[in-house]
Amino acid sequence: MAEVKEKEVFLNPYVMQMDKFADSLIRLSKTFLTLEGYKGVFSGEELDNMFSKVTGKVCEDCEKRHECLGENKLDTYQMVCEILYTVEDYGAEINTELKRKLQKQCIRAPRFLRETLEVFENAKQIMVWNNKLVQNREGFAGQIKSFAKMIQYTTRELDAGIFEDEHLQKKLKNHLKKHGVKMLSSVFYMTPQGKYEIHLTVKAMKGHCIVTKEMAAEAGRCIGRIMTPQQGERPILGEEYSTVACVEGARFHILHGVARVGKDCDKVSGDTFLMTNLPGGKKGIALSDGMGSGEDAFKESTMVVEMLEELLEAGFPVKTAIQMMNTALVIGREDVRFSTADVCLFDLYTGVCEFVKAGASTTFIKRKNKVERISSTTLPIGVLQDIEIDVTEKGLESGDFVIMVTDGVMDALPVGEQETLMCTFIEDTNIINPKELAHHLLEQVLEWGEETPVDDMTIIAAGIWKV
């Protein structure tokens, strides 16, 4: 996502309101970050409090109370601090010299030591939880900032893309009327890629049955571009007004196929995938490998894929979506459970594919005369709050294939030869049906391994062709 300008004058009142909303979120994020930070040591006030607790429990009815907490109070305080520092560095088993020093100074040495250790552990636990709260707060602040930046980016993109053309609007209205469509209003939008997007509020005129696809085609003929209804639009126009989004037809289309097998041939696999149409004429394919195998891994990877699908379809940039998911997984639980994220975003207008990886296995591109590899050394999501994400862009041509695999596929091949063998399997086949290609490659891997799968295995093959 490109950097947004901090200050910009807008004329559209809706855009202005959204920009104010984003500014408020950024200020809220900054407020979270100015609150209390991480603590690694106890303050003087906390040490005083621990000293009071220990002496309150041990010294209250001791015959030497007035001596230890009177003229020798400083020595007693230093003794408590010395025990705390020693425990912090070396653990609960303090050295013999310190024990002897404590026994000379305190007639209730064993109890004094026990209470000091207990008070220290309680204070340490409180510090750990406070630091956890700080971590969660910083995570939420990052989420809010990412959301705000996305709103700013989108408002600027919309403001730059929306345009008015009264002559074109009147021409379009008359053209559609001739084909049985009554147009109430229209909004013209130019995408960053220079493609038209038209939102038409229309209805079928009485006595007409209008197919939405045909209406979009007529709108395209009027403006001199090939237009189709956006994915998910209603197939038929009724006699009540509804808004239909028409977009320019893409130059490429994607066909995909999947082959998979669970660990020990189990029916439940910890690998989950999705294929979805995204805003801006893009096709998304994502593959996630959950930690372990079986039901637990399946639930984990399914959650990741479903969250990713929601965010991408809502228009979030893929890198921002993965970062937000990672933060949610890290701060949302105590135990560490991770999943890989492997995403391919195909631009159906340009043929460019964006490969985004977090802990994912190698992806292969099969071209006419060679096989390319896209590897990553990043960690999966759900491990650390600050995560690295590898992003690579490659131009694809008609007839190219993208092959995505999970770790189980690569691990079934000999160490050190995994990628070379996989490239050989891909180069040696001329299969152009994506489903058949995926199954062929999985069979090759299984034959080479000559054993029952020791991990979940999934292969996705996606081919791109010109329309």
Side-chain angles (χ1 to χ4, degrees):
M1 186 169 67
E3 282 296 318
V4 297
K5 298 177 183 177
E6 292 299 326
K7 296 293 180 182
E8 191 166 330
V9 178
F10 298 110
L11 299 178
N12 188 311
Y14 300 105
V15 173
M16 290 170 62
Q17 186 60 42
M18 290 303 294
D19 202 54
K20 289 179 181 178
F21 178 59
D23 285 340
S24 298
L25 289 177
I26 290 176
R27 284 196 293 271
L28 178 61
S29 173
K30 289 179 179 178
T31 300
F32 277 137
L33 295 176
T34 59
L35 299 177
E36 182 184 7
Y38 291 98
K39 288 180 62 177
V41 296
F42 294 111
S43 65
E45 184 179 347
E46 288 170 323
L47 290 174
D48 291 343
N49 187 41
M50 283 189 275
F51 177 76
S52 298
K53 287 182 178 179
V54 173
T55 55
K57 291 181 178 181
V58 180
C59 307
E60 187 175 1
D61 57 350
C62 179
E63 59 192 62
K64 295 184 66 178
R65 171 183 172 81
H66 296 293
E67 180 183 338
C68 294
L69 299 181
E71 60 185 39
N72 295 328
K73 183 177 180 179
L74 181 58
D75 293 335
T76 306
Y77 185 86
Q78 289 177 338
M79 175 58 67
V80 171
C81 291
E82 192 171 348
I83 293 172
L84 295 179
Y85 293 143
T86 304
V87 171
E88 178 72 6
D89 291 336
Y90 302 106
E93 291 299 323
I94 63 175
N95 57 51
T96 305
E97 183 181 348
L98 184 56
K99 284 183 179 180
R100 287 175 181 171
K101 184 178 178 181
L102 176 60
Q103 286 169 349
K104 287 181 180 180
Q105 190 168 332
C106 179
I107 61 175
R108 294 184 175 183
R111 186 182 172 192
F112 190 92
L113 176 60
R114 186 172 64 251
E115 293 293 345
T116 302
L117 293 176
E118 184 177 333
V119 167
F120 171 78
E121 286 302 321
N122 289 337
K124 193 72 174 177
Q125 189 62 46
I126 291 172
M127 180 184 287
V128 169
W129 280 109
N130 285 340
N131 284 340
K132 185 69 175 176
L133 289 173
V134 173
Q135 181 189 29
N136 290 352
R137 189 169 63 239
E138 289 183 353
F140 285 125
Q143 299 277 42
I144 292 171
K145 185 177 179 180
S146 295
F147 184 51
K149 289 293 184 182
M150 193 209 71
I151 292 175
Q152 287 183 326
Y153 175 79
T154 304
T155 55
R156 284 151 177 74
E157 189 179 72
L158 285 172
D159 191 63
I162 295 175
F163 65 94
E164 294 183 2
D165 190 328
E166 292 184 7
H167 173 73
L168 183 58
Q169 183 173 354
K170 187 178 292 185
K171 178 182 176 183
L172 185 58
K173 187 175 184 178
N174 292 333
H175 183 85
L176 291 178
K177 187 176 181 180
K178 294 177 182 177
H179 293 83
V181 179
K182 188 172 183 180
M183 188 181 88
L184 180 65
S185 63
S186 63
V187 176
F188 299 97
Y189 175 71
M190 181 77 74
T191 70
Q193 295 79 25
K195 304 298 179 182
Y196 264 44
E197 187 174 308
I198 309 173
H199 294 254
L200 302 172
T201 301
V202 292
K203 70 175 183 178
M205 297 174 69
K206 194 172 182 179
H208 290 78
C209 181
I210 306 297
V211 177
T212 306
K213 188 175 181 180
E214 293 177 359
M215 185 276 295
E218 288 300 331
R221 291 188 186 98
C222 179
I223 64 175
R225 294 175 180 246
I226 299 174
M227 305 297 290
T228 61
Q230 195 173 59
Q231 183 76 19
E233 291 290 356
R234 62 185 64 204
I236 303 292
L237 291 180
E239 293 188 7
E240 293 184 359
Y241 282 111
S242 60
T243 301
V244 177
C246 302
V247 297
E248 279 200 61
R251 292 177 54 229
F252 296 91
H253 70 105
I254 303 290
L255 293 178
H256 58 265
V258 181
R260 60 199 307 218
V261 62
K263 179 181 178 181
D264 299 323
C265 296
D266 194 340
K267 292 183 179 179
V268 178
S269 172
D271 300 340
T272 309
F273 59 91
L274 74 85
M275 290 87 169
T276 184
N277 294 298
L278 300 175
K282 291 187 177 182
K283 178 88 170 182
I285 300 181
L287 179 59
S288 179
D289 181 359
M291 183 179 75
S293 60
E295 192 69 33
D296 289 341
F298 169 74
K299 289 179 180 178
E300 194 74 14
S301 61
T302 298
M303 177 176 62
V304 168
V305 163
E306 289 178 349
M307 289 171 61
L308 185 61
E309 183 175 21
E310 289 284 343
L311 293 170
L312 292 180
E313 289 184 350
F316 280 81
V318 60
K319 194 171 179 179
T320 301
I322 292 176
Q323 288 170 334
M324 293 179 73
M325 284 194 308
N326 179 69
T327 302
L329 293 176
V330 170
I331 68 177
R333 59 182 123 187
E334 288 302 309
D335 59 324
V336 176
R337 295 193 63 83
F338 57 82
S339 297
T340 64
D342 196 1
V343 183
C344 292
L345 295 182
F346 299 87
D347 189 321
L348 301 182
Y349 290 121
T350 64
V352 173
C353 185
E354 185 178 10
F355 300 88
V356 186
K357 291 180 175 291
S361 188
T362 302
T363 295
F364 302 86
I365 302 176
K366 177 178 170 60
R367 301 189 187 272
K368 292 178 181 178
N369 54 358
K370 63 178 179 177
V371 175
E372 294 182 23
R373 314 173 194 179
I374 299 175
S375 302
S376 171
T377 57
T378 54
L379 291 174
I381 60 175
V383 180
L384 300 174
Q385 185 161 312
D386 296 323
I387 186 175
E388 291 185 8
I389 301 171
D390 282 343
V391 181
T392 305
E393 285 191 355
K394 294 284 185 179
L396 301 178
E397 296 181 0
S398 183
D400 287 350
F401 284 87
V402 171
I403 294 122
M404 305 167 70
V405 302
T406 54
D407 288 339
V409 174
M410 303 303 287
D411 292 343
L413 300 173
V415 177
E417 303 177 45
Q418 297 162 325
E419 292 189 7
T420 302
L421 279 172
M422 200 66 194
C423 285
T424 301
F425 297 155
I426 295 170
E427 285 175 346
D428 289 347
T429 180
N430 294 317
I431 298 173
I432 59 173
N433 181 299
K435 185 175 182 179
E436 292 179 5
L437 176 59
H439 280 272
H440 170 76
L441 294 175
L442 183 58
E443 288 171 5
Q444 292 288 100
V445 173
L446 290 172
E447 285 178 11
W448 188 273
E450 296 182 353
E451 60 180 21
T452 303
V454 295
D455 194 4
D456 301 321
M457 303 169 70
T458 300
I459 296 178
I460 300 176
I464 185 168
W465 289 274
K466 280 189 176 180
V467 176

